[in-house]
Amino acid sequence: MSATPAPKPTPAAAHASRRALRAGAAALLLLLTGGVAAPAALSAQATQGQARTASLSAAATRQADARQDPARHDAPGPAPGPVAQDLAPATVARLDAAITAAMKKDAIPGVIVGVWIPGRGDYVKSFGVADQESGTPMKSDLHMRIGSVTKTFTVTAVLQLVDQGRIGLDDPVSKYVDGVPGGDRITLRQLAAMRSGLYDYTSDPKFLDALRTDPQRTYTPQQLLDLAFAHPANFAPGAKWEYSNTNTVLLGLVVEKIGGQPLHTFLQQHVFGPLKLTSTSLPTTAEFPEPHAQGYTPFTPNGTVAEATTWNPSWAWAAGAAISDLDDLHSWVPALVDGRLLTPATQAQRLRTESVGVPGVSYGLGIADVNGWLGHNGELPGYESIAAGLPQQKATLVVLVNSDVDRGGSYSTTIGRAVTQILTPDHVWTLPSPAQVGENRD
C-alpha cells in the first residue's frame, strides 16, 4: 500500500467509490439494500418458490455452432458489424438502434450482447471499443471480468457438496469456519440466500480508501472477514434480505475446507471443466488472459476515470473475481438454470426465491429472479455483466460492458433493459439505480 496519503475524495468521487465497490464484487444488488423506493418500471412481483428445470440444451448446441461460424464478426464504433443471426431484420434493426442510442446517451465505451431464443433467433454483436486509447474495436471473443456472476459458480460448488452429503444447507457456518460472530446461528442456506445479517466488508470506509489508494494490493479471505467482523451484524440471521459479499467469501472457505483444495481448483475440476468452460477462471492474482478488453472506472481517489484492467481482484475472491467470455457464459446460463450439475431436489432449493423488497425481484441461493430472468449481474471496477436465462422461452441473455462509470445508472442494466424491452417485453431485465434507492448510506 502506498505510504503517501491519498487526497480526500470529493463527494462525487466518494459516491462513485461506494457504488463501485458495493456493486463491486459486483452485485445483484447492493443497490437494493436498505430502504428501497421501487421504480415504476419494475413489473409485478415475479413468481417465487418454483423450481424451474426446463432444459436449455438447444442453446448450448447453438453456441457450439456459433464457435465454428466464420461469418460472425464484430465492428468498432456504435455501428455493429455483420453477424450470423436469424431474428427478423426489423427486430435486429430495433436492437441495434436501442443499444447504440443507450451507448451514446451514457458514453458507454464498449458492449458485448448475446441473446439466444430457440425458435425465434440469435443476436450476437459487439459495439464500441475495447480500448479507448487505441480505438481497438470490441469483439465478442474477448475475456471480461464478470464480478458477482462469480457467486453463481461458488454457490454451485457449495450445492455440489450438499449433493455429495458432505455438508448440509442448514448446518451452521461455525461447523466449518471459526471466528464468525453468531456463526452457530447462521446457516449455509442463509449465507447463500443473503440473509445472514453479516456486515458487507465492501461497505467499510477504511477498506474503500485503502483499495482506492492501492488497487494492486492482495487480500486474503481472512483479511476480508476481519474487515466484516469488526462491525456488528446488521440484523438477526434470517430476519431479512441484504446483499453482502461477506456471505460468499465464507462459502468459498467452506468449499475449500470440505472440498480439500483451493476454490479455484475445485471450480475448475467440478464446474468449469465438466461444462467445458475453457475461458472461465477464478484468478488468484491480477492475471487476465488475452485477448481482453480494457476496463474503465471512476473508483479512484479523486473520482477521475482510470483503467482498472490489471487491478488485483483478490478483494472480491469467491464473491466476484471470476473471468469469462460470451461463449462460456452462453454455455453456463442454461446449466445454471436447469441445474445440470446438481440433483433436481437441490436445484429446486436453489430456485426457491424470496422477495428482496422490490417488485419483480427475488433471490434464491446465489441466483436472482428479475422479472422471470434467472441468473445474476456483476460489477467491479471497470466491468459489468449480466448472465441470465428465461425458462419460459428457454432464452439466454449475456451482457458484458467494459466500464462502471455508470452515467445515468448501471450500464449493464441499461443495456439489458433495452434488449429485453424489445425481445421479451413481458419479462424486462431492470433493477433500481443507486439514485432511486438512496445507495449513499455511509
Side-chain angles (χ1 to χ4, degrees), residues 4-320:
T4 304
K8 183 176 179 62
T10 64
H15 172 76
S17 298
R18 282 191 290 270
R19 190 199 180 294
L21 267 293
R22 285 189 189 145
L28 173 86
L29 294 109
L30 297 256
L31 305 181
L32 300 180
T33 14
V36 174
L42 287 174
S43 68
Q45 181 67 39
T47 301
Q48 302 168 16
Q50 296 180 348
R52 300 169 174 90
T53 57
S55 171
L56 299 181
S57 59
T61 301
R62 286 181 181 273
Q63 182 199 26
D65 294 340
R67 288 181 188 271
Q68 302 173 27
D69 185 355
R72 194 173 99 179
H73 300 288
D74 308 281
V83 63
Q85 50 78 29
D86 54 4
L87 286 172
T91 302
V92 172
R94 289 180 64 200
L95 289 168
D96 291 350
I99 294 169
T100 301
M103 292 179 68
K104 182 177 180 180
K105 178 179 179 292
D106 292 335
I108 302 173
V111 172
I112 301 169
V113 177
V115 188
W116 298 264
I117 308 178
R120 290 181 59 190
D122 302 343
Y123 181 89
V124 179
K125 291 192 178 183
S126 59
F127 300 77
V129 296
D131 186 329
Q132 290 184 311
E133 183 175 355
S134 68
T136 302
M138 183 68 86
K139 293 186 177 181
S140 59
D141 64 347
L142 298 181
H143 293 85
M144 303 281 273
R145 300 193 188 278
I146 60 173
S148 280
V149 174
T150 306
K151 291 177 172 67
T152 63
F153 297 121
T154 299
V155 174
T156 295
V158 171
L159 297 177
Q160 287 177 319
L161 293 173
V162 170
D163 277 340
Q164 295 168 15
R166 302 171 72 182
I167 63 175
L169 277 173
D170 295 313
D171 290 346
V173 66
S174 60
K175 184 175 179 180
Y176 308 105
V177 181
D178 294 331
V180 181
D184 59 334
R185 297 181 292 110
I186 299 172
T187 67
L188 303 186
R189 186 190 303 274
Q190 289 166 338
L191 294 174
M194 298 293 173
R195 293 180 176 273
S196 72
L198 292 172
Y199 182 88
D200 183 354
Y201 65 88
T202 63
S203 293
D204 182 276
K206 292 182 179 179
F207 166 75
L208 295 174
D209 288 343
L211 194 57
R212 271 196 306 265
T213 303
D214 183 10
Q216 297 291 357
R217 176 177 172 179
T218 298
Y219 288 85
T220 66
Q222 189 57 55
Q223 287 173 326
L224 303 176
L225 294 181
D226 289 344
L227 287 165
F229 299 161
H231 299 266
N234 292 332
F235 52 85
K240 62 179 183 177
W241 184 91
E242 185 176 76
Y243 198 91
S244 175
N245 294 299
T246 304
N247 294 330
T248 320
V249 169
L250 282 167
L251 291 176
L253 290 177
V254 172
V255 173
E256 290 199 328
K257 180 171 183 178
I258 304 305
Q261 53 192 169
L263 179 61
H264 65 276
T265 304
F266 188 97
L267 290 176
Q268 180 58 49
Q269 293 183 4
H270 299 277
V271 181
F272 307 153
L275 295 175
K276 296 181 171 55
L277 306 182
T278 57
S279 294
T280 305
S281 62
L282 184 70
T284 57
T285 66
E287 65 187 277
F288 204 159
E290 296 282 358
H292 60 253
Q294 304 298 311
Y296 301 94
T297 186
F299 185 69
T300 58
N302 59 8
T304 58
V305 176
E307 283 191 14
T309 313
T310 59
W311 289 7
N312 192 329
S314 61
W315 62 270
W317 191 50

Side-chain angles (χ1 to χ4, degrees), residues 367-389:
I367 194 168
D369 183 330
V370 181
N371 292 328
W373 286 97
L374 298 176
H376 222 289
N377 70 326
E379 183 175 338
L380 78 171
Y383 300 89
E384 297 187 15
S385 59
I386 297 171

